[in-house]
Amino acid sequence: EEQQSQSRFDALIGDDSRIEPRDWMPEPYRKTLTRQISQHAHSEIIGMQPEANWITRAPSLKRKSILMAKVQDEAGHGLYLYSAAETLGTERDELNDQLLTGRAKYSSIFNYTARNWADMGAIGWLVDGAAIANQVPLCRASYGPYGRAMVRVCKEESFHQRQGFEILLSLSRGTEKQKQMAQDAINRFYEPSLMMFGPPDDQSPNSAQSMAWKIKRFSNDELRQRFVGMIAEQVKVLGLTLPDENLHFDEEKKQWIHKDLNWDEFMNVIKGNGPANAQRLERRREAHREGAWVREAATAYAAKQEQSEVA
Ligand code: 3HC
């Protein structure tokens, strides 16, 4: 029986078809998807914090409303992804508890602080740009609910990237000081955004299996190079530079060669010792505590509804 299910699963993966929640799947497939989708969801929710700090400081009403829309989008992306993760059998309360107790990972990038308004531009252009480069292939992930959630996320993410680029463009055309602010923000976010794609392929324990199961369609390094190639062109339009003077396209290897990245820093950040890890988790715990009354009210209301239906 199990043998039959395994070969049916292998055939679906082999045909590039979708695995749906009710389909039989190997437990390690379920486990790695729950791991990745929940971390992705946590990243969206924690990723709201750096920008939330700048909603009250936005330089104009237009910028404020755009930033609010972006942060709301990210909350929604988190909810789509928790829903997708739940179809694999783990309740979102459990997933949330993993985050609140520091047991769950979320994207390293959000452990860096946003120090001034130009950072909103760099986060939009670089962080959301990296997120798009990583998320577009995930639209074709073999697990149905995940791939479908990504289609919607990617549509909204491209607006996030454009608004970030536009912030940097207006700064780069402003005063000398504004231009320097934009350059400084790019200098600070360049390497951390490249590290979002994960460790180098030869230090990526999950990649081989994830690619065999067609969850991951391209390797960490492949997507990183693709992203670098994109921003290397876009930064010229800004009249600014990437902090990577040896960045070049290797015609033989047909790939972009960027500077070595600081993987010790990366491992340190994902262990919880980044510049902002503690404050991000503390803020998340505080928001969870402050939201308890909403959960209680919703539960009480649902119980009353049930009673009135029964009566
Ligand atoms: N931040 C934190 N942890 C990371 C990481 C990062 N940037 N990159 C890798 N890791 C962790 C992995 O989770 C894994 O640890 P685990 O086994 O305990 O989960 C370990 O480092 C080794 O990495 P691998 O390459 O073996 O792991 P994966 O095959 O899972 O690849 C990944 C890592 C490419 C990030 C993959 O998990 C992925 O594509 N995840 C979905 C995309 C995602 O999470 N994007 C978040 C971007 S931010 C965002 O979306 C918000 C945006 O709207 C601003």
Side-chain angles (χ1 to χ4, degrees):
E1 170 61 11
E2 170 113 348
Q3 191 43 42
Q4 261 175 338
S5 317
Q6 180 68 51
S7 41
R8 189 171 172 283
F9 172 83
D10 293 343
L12 282 169
I13 297 289
D15 291 347
D16 237 345
S17 304
R18 285 252 144 111
I19 303 296
E20 296 299 338
R22 280 179 305 285
D23 290 336
W24 181 91
M25 61 185 85
E27 277 318 298
Y29 179 82
R30 182 186 305 279
K31 192 163 174 289
T32 202
L33 277 165
T34 303
R35 167 190 70 84
Q36 176 164 335
I37 301 173
S38 59
Q39 286 169 5
H40 200 159
H42 298 329
S43 305
E44 297 283 2
I45 298 301
I46 297 288
M48 294 163 72
Q49 290 188 31
E51 290 147 340
N53 295 334
W54 288 91
I55 289 177
T56 51
R57 301 179 176 89
S60 72
L61 190 57
K62 174 187 159 220
R63 295 282 186 209
K64 183 199 282 268
S65 53
I66 291 175
L67 196 55
M68 266 196 282
K70 177 175 192 291
V71 172
Q72 277 170 333
D73 282 350
E74 270 142 27
H77 297 171
L79 297 184
Y80 302 153
L81 287 162
Y82 284 127
S83 305
E86 282 186 318
T87 65
L88 290 160
T90 308
E91 291 294 314
R92 77 181 61 197
D93 286 349
E94 165 55 22
L95 299 174
N96 194 40
D97 194 54
Q98 288 168 13
L99 176 65
L100 295 178
T101 54
R103 285 176 290 148
K105 290 187 171 76
Y106 56 87
S107 193
S108 48
I109 188 69
F110 298 120
N111 294 309
Y112 293 85
T113 50
R115 297 188 206 157
N116 59 47
W117 178 254
D119 288 13
M120 289 302 103
I123 287 177
W125 178 48
L126 293 173
V127 174
D128 292 286
I132 292 172
N134 164 281
Q135 288 168 163
V136 166
L138 285 172
C139 294
R140 292 187 298 117
S142 57
Y143 187 57
Y146 194 27
R148 289 190 291 269
M150 281 297 107
V151 172
R152 175 74 184 274
V153 166
C154 286
K155 284 200 179 74
E156 292 170 343
E157 209 75 78
S158 48
F159 141 65
H160 299 171
Q161 187 193 25
R162 264 203 306 281
Q163 65 84 36
F165 185 79
E166 205 267 326
I167 287 175
L168 292 176
L169 191 62
S170 38
L171 287 171
S172 70
R173 292 177 175 167
T175 62
E176 200 36 49
K177 198 157 169 20
Q178 285 173 323
K179 186 165 179 163
Q180 267 160 27
M181 259 175 85
Q183 183 62 64
D184 168 58
I186 292 172
N187 293 348
R188 280 183 287 110
F189 277 91
Y190 174 72
E191 282 194 51
S193 61
L194 288 191
M195 294 201 254
M196 282 170 68
F197 292 93
D201 295 348
D202 56 3
Q203 297 161 45
S204 166
N206 296 297
S207 278
Q209 186 58 73
S210 274
M211 291 181 88
W213 279 331
K214 298 185 182 172
I215 297 167
K216 186 178 273 192
R217 292 284 180 167
F218 299 97
S219 79
N220 298 357
D221 286 330
E222 274 175 310
L223 289 182
R224 199 182 341 265
Q225 284 146 21
R226 185 180 297 181
F227 174 64
V228 156
M230 271 164 38
I231 57 175
E233 294 312 314
Q234 292 168 354
V235 76
K236 293 175 189 161
V237 178
L238 295 171
L240 301 171
T241 56
L242 296 178
D244 190 347
E245 59 280 354
N246 303 325
L247 176 66
H248 64 280
F249 186 73
D250 181 317
E251 285 302 338
E252 252 144 64
K253 290 190 203 148
K254 286 274 169 272
Q255 65 184 39
W256 283 87
I257 310 294
H258 55 73
K259 66 180 7 177
D260 289 340
L261 300 171
N262 185 337
W263 294 109
D264 293 341
E265 178 184 311
F266 173 80
M267 289 317 286
N268 213 9
V269 167
I270 67 175
K271 260 196 220 96
N273 312 322
N277 295 56
Q279 82 182 59
R280 298 294 183 225
L281 274 191
E282 190 31 51
R283 180 72 197 94
R284 186 72 201 82
R285 290 184 188 115
E286 189 189 356
H288 190 68
R289 282 195 300 272
E290 286 166 2
W293 69 273
V294 178
R295 295 190 294 276
E296 282 148 29
T299 314
Y301 179 74
K304 239 193 312 188
Q305 285 298 90
E306 227 167 86
Q307 248 147 26
S308 62
E309 265 143 36
V310 163

